[in-house]
Amino acid sequence: MPTAAFTTLGCKVNQYETQRILDDFESRGFGITEFNKPADVYVINTCSVTQAAERKSHYMVRKVATQNPRAIVVMTGCYGEMARIKGEMVSEASLIVPNHQKLHTLEHLLRAHPELADALDSQPILPVKSAARRTRATVKVQDGCNVYCTFCSIPYTRKFMHSRPLDELIAEAELRTAQGYRELVVTGVLVGAYGQERGFGTTEMSDSQSALPINTQPHSWTSDTKYSRPDLADVLLRLAQVPGIERVRLSSIEPTQVTDRLLQAFASESKLCPHLHIPLQSGDSSILRAMNRPYDQQYYLERCQAAYSAIPDLAITSDIMVGFPYEDRDAFENTLEVVRTVGFARAHLFRYSPRPSTPAADFPHQISDAEKEARSKELTAACRASQQRFIQKYLGRTLEVLVENREGHTAAGSDEAELGSSGNEGNTAIESDHDGSGNRLLLSGYTGNYIRVQFTGGSHLIRTVVKVHLTEPTTEGAIGEVGGAHFAPQEAPPDADFIPLATFAAALA
């Protein structure tokens, strides 16, 4: 049986696409193995959002080709597209699949290496194993971007705007629930543009199919049309209706696409997680103009305030850039002020990195690396403080947590945990309740508003939603506790049905 291994760099869209490619390989008969183990085929889904991402992408291709010289190394993703634009050679790759063709990676591979098809055809067909490796599944609803921010290469590497039909998304959601997933993460390159491209199908929908008036034009309302095309709010509401789905979480969405219609959808459907990831990039209006971002500081703050007013217990997370050309101290202070005003629950921080073929790469007044580093440290401290203030608001409250795995305890103030990003991916469920040294690990999962909570309990709780009382903060979340007996019968100590949190805290100290 030919074997294949996969790795992903970059965004949640890439994560989703790698899973789709992996599913194709698995259903065709490939054995799936870990990326650090020997395999016949290695598939690397690359990223080019920063110079560091490009370097790492090329490094991964070079490393696996060197360590496995007889293997077929397949490269796809944004770096492959950017390398073509820049005229760079990636000679270590056996096959480069164009970014817009990546979901056809298996077809490209078997066409280039028919001997693999022969090997697959000669073996008995085995049932495909369940793909329920995670508690959360990502569903990509849209691809492509046409905004052309001056710092961003994505419109050059993902230039085809495309929305997937709603019935196709519902079918995929039903498949994921059958595989054991309980939360869906809706993502796209410009996810708020779902359904807005010219030619997207106009379909008839019954009143029961949409809990909101259906949108016929971007950012507008209509309440009496029978024929229309669905928008992002419709997608979220329909996915929430799929039996077995307990949560629907929205990935990153642009500030201009946080419409009143979208906020009403969140307010009307309890299965929509109260969490919006709204990229800021800069809190200074002049820098936003230089970035070609279609909003200013006031607009961003108004949209955040509207979201807080509409959605109880909302968490707003963000992407923030430091060191963009022209960013002086006053502009950076404006960014710090927005961080304090909005009160981000998390933030993904990154330093400006010139991307080839983008206007900002040729701007004067580039910021030195030393200044970028200094501002990054200052902004990191401000965002950590904002995150801790957000967590503090929920101490003493009981929230629902989707239990994902077991992990070690990270105390507040520890440097072990990275500052939270927009990451919405679920974690592989770890069934063992001890680490390598024999210490019992805590259960871990996320609240609807994206607080990571750790607490004691049995492995039978993994992949379920439980009510957890938050008691103390950690670096990225909180320690919590559940009442009653939450150990499986084989895990329960001989003298107790429930071990208090304090017992574990003492053991971990």
Side-chain angles (χ1 to χ4, degrees):
M1 173 191 297
T3 56
F6 301 79
T7 194
T8 309
L9 297 95
C11 64
K12 301 302 169 291
V13 174
N14 263 12
Q15 295 284 348
Y16 167 82
E17 291 166 341
T18 298
Q19 182 63 55
R20 286 280 301 273
I21 298 168
L22 186 154
D23 290 345
D24 286 346
F25 274 68
E26 193 171 36
S27 64
R28 186 63 175 83
F30 277 87
I32 307 301
T33 188
E34 296 178 21
F35 195 76
N36 60 354
K37 293 183 178 179
D40 299 304
V41 179
Y42 292 89
V43 179
I44 303 171
N45 195 358
T46 63
C47 177
S48 67
V49 70
T50 63
Q51 289 178 346
E54 286 192 358
R55 287 194 299 268
K56 187 172 182 180
S57 294
H58 198 161
Y59 167 78
M60 293 298 292
V61 174
R62 183 169 59 249
K63 179 181 178 181
V64 74
T66 302
Q67 293 180 349
N68 305 272
R70 301 179 64 180
I72 299 170
V73 181
V74 181
M75 183 177 79
T76 189
C78 291
Y79 173 60
E81 202 71 19
M82 184 56 66
R84 181 189 62 79
I85 292 172
K86 296 192 296 183
E88 293 182 0
M89 295 293 295
V90 188
S91 57
E92 299 89 350
S94 313
L95 175 67
I96 300 177
V97 178
N99 202 29
H100 69 282
Q101 286 284 312
K102 68 166 59 171
L103 293 185
H104 301 286
T105 293
L106 179 61
E107 299 171 26
H108 283 267
L109 174 67
L110 297 183
R111 189 159 53 242
H113 295 274
E115 70 278 7
L116 286 174
D118 294 339
L120 293 167
D121 291 339
S122 65
Q123 67 185 23
I125 298 176
L126 300 175
V128 177
K129 297 179 181 179
S130 169
R133 302 179 179 92
R134 299 186 176 196
T135 52
R136 281 180 279 164
T138 302
V139 177
K140 186 181 79 169
V141 304
Q142 178 274 342
D143 202 349
C145 181
N146 58 4
V147 176
Y148 289 93
C149 298
T150 59
F151 58 84
C152 185
S153 62
I154 289 176
Y156 304 95
T157 59
R158 290 181 179 267
K159 55 189 175 183
F160 300 103
M161 297 287 288
H162 172 69
S163 300
R164 297 175 63 197
L166 185 54
D167 57 355
E168 182 180 306
L169 300 176
I170 299 303
E172 181 172 341
E174 291 171 344
L175 172 63
R176 295 310 180 198
T177 61
Q179 294 171 333
Y181 291 95
R182 293 295 171 260
E183 181 177 310
L184 297 178
V185 180
V186 174
T187 191
V189 177
L190 191 63
V191 70
Y194 178 88
Q196 294 180 9
E197 69 267 25
R198 180 173 298 177
F200 187 70
T202 298
T203 58
E204 181 178 359
M205 297 178 67
S206 66
D207 292 341
S208 63
Q209 288 179 301
S210 177
L212 287 179
I214 296 172
N215 208 12
T216 56
Q217 295 180 355
H219 314 310
S220 68
W221 284 84
T222 178
S223 59
D224 56 359
T225 183
K226 186 177 181 182
Y227 292 92
S228 63
R229 55 186 182 181
D231 67 357
L232 180 61
D234 295 307
V235 170
L236 296 173
L237 291 169
R238 288 294 307 281
L239 290 176
Q241 296 170 15
V242 173
I245 292 299
E246 299 191 46
R247 288 178 173 178
V248 177
R249 191 181 297 275
L250 178 60
S251 187
S252 179
I253 184 166
E254 289 297 303
T256 55
Q257 294 167 343
V258 181
T259 63
D260 291 345
R261 173 179 169 77
L262 183 72
L263 296 181
Q264 184 178 346
F266 275 84
S268 67
E269 175 53 69
S270 61
K271 288 186 178 181
L272 299 187
C273 292
H275 171 209
L276 291 174
H277 186 84
I278 311 174
L280 171 65
Q281 306 304 357
S282 173
D284 182 80
S285 295
S286 62
I287 296 298
L288 290 170
R289 284 194 298 273
M291 291 178 168
N292 196 35
R293 301 287 286 172
Y295 56 90
D296 58 15
Q297 183 199 78
Q298 181 180 357
Y299 182 92
Y300 186 92
L301 292 175
E302 287 175 349
R303 284 290 83 198
C304 288
Q305 183 55 52
Y308 279 133
S309 298
I311 307 171
D313 295 329
L314 175 67
I316 297 180
T317 57
S318 193
D319 297 327
I320 310 175
M321 181 188 300
V322 297
F324 189 78
Y326 302 104
E327 183 189 69
D328 57 16
R329 184 67 202 185
D330 287 343
F332 180 64
E333 287 288 347
N334 284 334
T335 296
L336 292 174
E337 180 60 27
V338 173
V339 169
R340 290 188 287 265
T341 301
V342 175
F344 294 121
R346 289 182 177 221
H348 176 210
L349 315 181
F350 57 104
R351 304 169 194 176
Y352 168 71
S353 173
R355 311 310 304 126
S357 303
T358 61
D362 298 322
F363 283 177
H365 306 293
Q366 298 283 332
I367 309 301
S368 70
D369 290 342
E371 187 61 30
K372 290 178 187 177
E373 182 177 2
R375 292 178 188 174
S376 178
K377 289 180 179 179
E378 189 173 352
L379 185 58
T380 295
C383 289
R384 284 194 184 278
S386 177
Q387 183 178 5
Q388 285 298 308
R389 286 192 297 270
F390 178 81
I391 294 168
Q392 287 286 340
K393 293 192 301 183
Y394 294 93
L395 297 183
R397 289 185 55 181
T398 298
L399 302 178
E400 290 189 342
V401 174
L402 176 60
V403 187
E404 296 183 351
N405 60 12
R406 289 190 180 276
E407 61 187 15
H409 170 58
T410 304
S414 166
D415 291 329
E416 293 179 23
E418 182 184 0
L419 184 63
S421 72
S422 60
N424 281 318
E425 70 275 14
N427 296 308
T428 302
I430 303 173
E431 300 299 341
S432 172
D433 62 351
H434 294 79
D435 63 16
S437 61
N439 295 321
R440 185 178 291 274
L441 301 177
L442 297 177
L443 291 177
S444 176
Y446 284 86
T447 64
N449 60 355
Y450 212 51
I451 299 174
R452 190 185 71 166
V453 182
Q454 298 170 289
F455 57 99
T456 65
S459 295
H460 62 295
L461 297 179
I462 291 174
R463 302 187 189 93
T464 68
V465 175
V466 298
K467 294 183 182 297
V468 184
H469 185 73
L470 278 56
T471 59
E472 60 181 277
T474 64
T475 303
E476 288 189 84
I479 292 291
E481 57 187 3
V482 289
H486 284 275
F487 287 92
Q490 68 273 20
E491 294 177 318
D495 57 347
D497 291 328
F498 174 70
I499 293 183
L501 173 68
T503 303
F504 282 92
L508 290 166

